[in-house]
Amino acid sequence: MDEVFTQSKRFFNLPLNEKIKVLRNEKHRGYTPLHDELLDPDTQVHEILGEPIATLRLLHYEGQTSDPSKGIYGAGAHSDFGLITLLATDEVLGLQICKDKDAKPQIWEYVPPLKGAFIVNLGDMLERWSNCIFKSTLHRVLGNGRERYSIAYFVEPSHDCVVECLPTCKSEKNPPKFPPVKYGSYLSQRYKDTHADLSIYKK
Ligand SMILES: O=C(O)CCC(=O)C(=O)O
Ligand SMILES: [Fe+2]
């Protein structure tokens, strides 16, 4: 992990004109510039996953101080789109989770960094498949004036995979809470909702 953090720092220290050469593409791979992303506001599973997608994302927060009352965040509140996310962070405090998404007001708790440990966040597809038996983790990042690096490893279903309530997670009394959705369509919509349009980078 130390080597990945070292390489991540090397990359983010490059001038913008170098980083922009590997700008995020239509498949959501590549460099995502600052302010591009705006977030707010058992075996059965193996067989229906299709070819799962794994994405490693190196993250860098430049050290701004967040102010939730003004809507300024390192990363706004969101749940990850896929199945499960493994997250490694450096020693700088920043990640917060909200255990009860429906509570008003929402209560946010810091997740203290633990060297050598991964934080496991559940994603929206696990919530949909399990009909909310597993709830996706609502989380956000607050900046406290210190630069921060983290590494997220997202595990997602294939884009063709239709995610719908598993037979064992529904009953007459507990019907599916979500309609079936093709993961690729869900992902595109979430990207549209949370990212700048790529055309803004075209000269
Ligand atoms: O930097 C972090 O601790 C969280 C990153 C995150 O939530 C994400 O990339 O989806
Ligand atoms: Fe996230």
Side-chain angles (χ1 to χ4, degrees):
M1 281 317 284
D2 290 344
E3 181 58 20
V4 187
F5 275 108
T6 305
Q7 294 302 333
S8 176
K9 284 178 192 172
R10 268 185 64 189
F11 175 77
F12 284 113
N13 279 329
L14 292 171
L16 185 63
N17 63 339
E18 286 297 318
K19 289 185 284 209
I20 213 90
K21 286 183 188 159
V22 288
L23 181 68
R24 148 174 96 80
N25 62 20
E26 292 71 20
K27 296 202 166 102
H28 318 304
R29 296 288 185 276
Y31 174 59
T32 305
L34 194 65
H35 304 309
D36 173 297
E37 182 177 22
L38 185 70
L39 295 163
D40 223 316
D42 48 295
T43 55
Q44 240 179 338
V45 175
H46 282 292
E47 280 156 28
I48 55 180
L49 256 183
E51 285 281 311
I53 301 169
T55 312
L56 192 71
R57 191 177 194 201
L58 306 178
L59 292 136
H60 176 225
Y61 302 88
E62 289 190 348
Q64 292 95 342
T65 302
S66 296
D67 184 348
S69 69
K70 296 201 175 103
I72 302 167
Y73 302 100
H78 67 284
S79 48
D80 295 343
F81 313 148
L83 274 172
I84 213 162
T85 307
L86 302 182
L87 189 64
T89 73
D90 65 9
E91 73 294 345
V92 181
L93 196 66
L95 178 70
Q96 293 189 319
I97 56 163
C98 171
K99 288 188 188 149
D100 183 357
K101 298 190 240 194
D102 304 318
K104 283 192 181 79
Q106 287 176 330
I107 296 167
W108 291 93
E109 297 171 52
Y110 275 107
V111 181
L114 193 59
K115 195 158 172 55
F118 290 100
I119 294 154
V120 181
N121 281 332
L122 305 186
D124 296 336
M125 292 306 109
L126 206 57
E127 177 167 298
R128 283 178 168 252
W129 250 322
S130 72
N131 211 15
C132 293
I133 292 174
F134 294 110
K135 298 226 170 77
S136 57
T137 320
L138 186 63
H139 56 287
R140 67 184 189 185
V141 178
L142 296 192
N144 61 7
R146 283 182 69 191
E147 204 181 10
R148 179 174 180 272
Y149 289 85
S150 65
I151 300 166
Y153 182 74
F154 301 99
V155 182
E156 302 168 288
S158 89
H159 286 189
D160 299 329
C161 179
V162 175
V163 177
E164 62 183 320
C165 181
L166 292 170
T168 49
C169 297
K170 63 182 174 189
S171 65
E172 238 168 71
K173 282 195 189 132
N174 182 29
K177 295 179 176 63
F178 307 96
V181 70
K182 204 168 168 188
Y183 185 61
S185 321
Y186 181 85
L187 191 65
S188 305
Q189 190 54 50
R190 291 289 309 262
Y191 261 88
K192 269 196 204 121
D193 294 343
T194 58
H195 286 73
D197 195 293
L198 277 175
S199 61
I200 64 165
Y201 299 105
K202 296 199 175 108
K203 289 182 205 122

